[in-house]
C-alpha cells in the first residue's frame, strides 16, 4: 500500500439526537450527530407499529383472510 494516501482514522463520538446516547467509533471526523440509531429505532426496540390512517391494513387482512 502506498503511504500518505489513506485517510487518518481518529476516535469519533457519534451522538443520536433522538435518544441522546453516544457511541464511539473510528472515523475521519471527530464527532457526528445522527437522527435515529438502533437505540431508538422501532425495529430494534420492539415497539414497531403500523401507521394506518385510512384502513388499508384492515382491508388487506379482510381481502386475503380466505
Amino acid at each position: 500500500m502506498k503511504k500518505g494516501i489513506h485517510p487518518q482514522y481518529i476516535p469519533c463520538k457519534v451522538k443520536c439526537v433522538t435518544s441522546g446516547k453516544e457511541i464511539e467509533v473510528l472515523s475521519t471526523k471527530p464527532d457526528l450527530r445522527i437522527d435515529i440509531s438502533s437505540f431508538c429505532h422501532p425495529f430494534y426496540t420492539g415497539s414497531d407499529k403500523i401507521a394506518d390512517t385510512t384502513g388499508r391494513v384492515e382491508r388487506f387482512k379482510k381481502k386475503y383472510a380466505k
Side-chain angles (χ1 to χ4, degrees):
M1 290 191 342
K2 292 184 179 180
K3 295 187 184 238
I5 63 168
H6 299 287
Q8 182 68 28
Y9 287 105
I10 57 174
C12 170
K13 292 199 183 252
V14 180
K15 181 172 182 161
C16 177
V17 179
T18 307
S19 66
K21 296 193 178 193
E22 283 188 0
I23 58 172
E24 191 167 319
V25 297
L26 291 176
S27 178
T28 57
K29 298 186 179 202
D31 59 339
L32 295 170
R33 292 177 46 166
I34 56 176
D35 292 329
I36 196 159
S37 68
S38 60
F39 296 116
C40 58
H41 193 277
F43 179 79
Y44 296 106
T45 60
S47 63
D48 194 18
K49 297 179 184 172
I50 297 174
D52 182 30
T53 58
T54 60
R56 292 183 195 163
V57 174
E58 286 78 18
R59 281 188 284 150
F60 178 83
K61 287 180 181 179
K62 183 179 175 184
K63 183 176 181 181
Y64 293 104
K66 298 176 185 177

